[in-house]
């Protein structure tokens, strides 16, 4: 079984699908947590305090990190495998393939953009919140208490530069998800002629809802931080 998952192209795609599904579920959970910020800042701080540096949050962080590493590692393997399989043919292609989206042909590039955005996000929030709590700090690099999630969000999104960075990041996530979600079902054999269009519509709808949710939190946080509107 282990050899199948590491040496077989189908096995690698299966691992990509499983790890990708796990990351999508995390995005939905993370979005549900962030959406509380739109309705009640006190509730958002309660959530961040509940997670904090507790053992279950730490275990969840490690599991999530493992999921990301596995997904990226297998993405690298599949990308290199596809490049070797195409050989010099990829340089001779000048006609756009019908029915093939730009995102499906640039998943690796989108993945790099997503990873860079993730590093920025980890520094802004995980490093300055959960990690500071882990090491016993009472203030982070921005001079806020690490459990004060609302203050952190206001500080980060008071800058339009960060707003733009996050919106670009969300755009890359949307493109990655619209292809990745339905491709996940295709890899496990669920995408036949009947279900293919349905899965694609469902993938686009789910991806759009997730990204619009995150974008709404970012935009509203920017408007609030700059005293423009939204309470």
């Amino acid at each position: 079984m282990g050899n199948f998952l590491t040496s077989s192209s189908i096995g690698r795609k299966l691992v990509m699908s499983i790890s990708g599904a796990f990351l999508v579920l995390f995005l939905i959970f993370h979005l549900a947590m962030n959406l509380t910020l739109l309705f009640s800042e006190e509730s958002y701080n309660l959530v961040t305090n509940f997670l904090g540096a507790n053992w279950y949050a730490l275990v969840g962080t490690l599991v999530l990190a493992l999921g990301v590493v596995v997904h990226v590692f297998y993405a690298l393997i599949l990308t290199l495998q596809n490049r070797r399989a195409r050989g010099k043919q990829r340089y001779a292609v000048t006609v756009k393939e019908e029915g093939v989206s730009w995102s499906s042909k640039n998943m690796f590039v989108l993945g790099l953009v997503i990873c860079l955005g993730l590093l920025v996000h980890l520094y802004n929030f995980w490093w300055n919140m959960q990690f500071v709590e882990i090491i016993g700090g009472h203030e982070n690099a921005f001079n806020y208490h690490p459990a004060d999630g609302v203050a952190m969000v206001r500080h980060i999104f008071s800058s339009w530069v960060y707003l733009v960075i996050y919106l670009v990041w969300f755009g890359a996530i949307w493109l990655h998800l619209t292809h990745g979600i339905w491709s996940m079902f295709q890899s496990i054999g669920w995408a036949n002629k009947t279900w293919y269009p349905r899965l694609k519509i469902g993938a686009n709808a789910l991806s759009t809802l997730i990204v619009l949710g995150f974008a709404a939190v970012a935009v509203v946080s920017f408007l609030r931080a700059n005293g423009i509107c939204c309470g």
Side-chain angles (χ1 to χ4, degrees), residues 16-175:
M16 280 286 290
S17 298
I18 294 172
S19 59
F22 166 74
L23 295 176
V24 169
L25 290 174
F26 169 77
L27 281 176
I28 294 172
F29 166 77
H30 199 50
L31 174 61
M33 181 185 76
N34 284 2
L35 285 176
T36 62
L37 188 60
L38 297 180
F39 307 102
S40 170
E41 292 184 336
E42 291 77 13
S43 296
Y44 182 75
N45 265 351
L46 285 174
V47 172
T48 56
N49 281 318
F50 173 73
L51 293 175
N54 297 298
W55 68 268
Y56 42 82
L58 295 177
V59 170
T61 299
L62 292 174
V63 172
L64 175 63
L66 178 61
V68 171
V69 169
V70 169
H71 197 71
V72 172
F73 176 72
Y74 275 84
L76 285 170
I77 292 177
L78 287 170
T79 299
L80 293 173
Q81 179 185 14
N82 291 337
R83 283 181 176 272
R84 282 198 301 266
R86 289 198 302 267
K88 294 183 179 180
Q89 284 185 339
R90 65 179 182 272
Y91 300 110
V93 175
T94 57
V95 180
K96 183 178 179 180
E97 299 170 62
E98 187 177 352
V100 178
S101 65
W102 180 89
S103 59
S104 68
K105 298 180 68 175
N106 293 274
M107 290 293 280
F108 184 72
V109 174
L110 290 171
L112 288 178
V113 175
I114 291 170
C115 285
L116 289 174
L118 180 61
L119 290 176
V120 172
H121 186 64
L122 287 174
Y123 171 73
N124 285 338
F125 292 99
W126 180 82
W127 180 265
N128 284 292
M129 292 180 72
Q130 190 179 67
F131 183 73
V132 172
E133 283 196 74
I134 292 172
I135 62 176
H138 299 288
E139 285 189 345
N140 54 37
F142 303 117
N143 298 318
Y144 294 114
H145 191 281
D148 192 352
V150 172
M152 286 295 301
V153 170
R154 284 181 174 176
H155 177 81
I156 297 301
F157 286 106
S158 63
S159 167
W160 67 266
V161 175
Y162 269 122
L163 176 64
V164 171
I165 288 173
Y166 272 84
L167 291 179
V168 170
W169 185 38
F170 297 150
I173 291 174
W174 182 82
L175 289 169

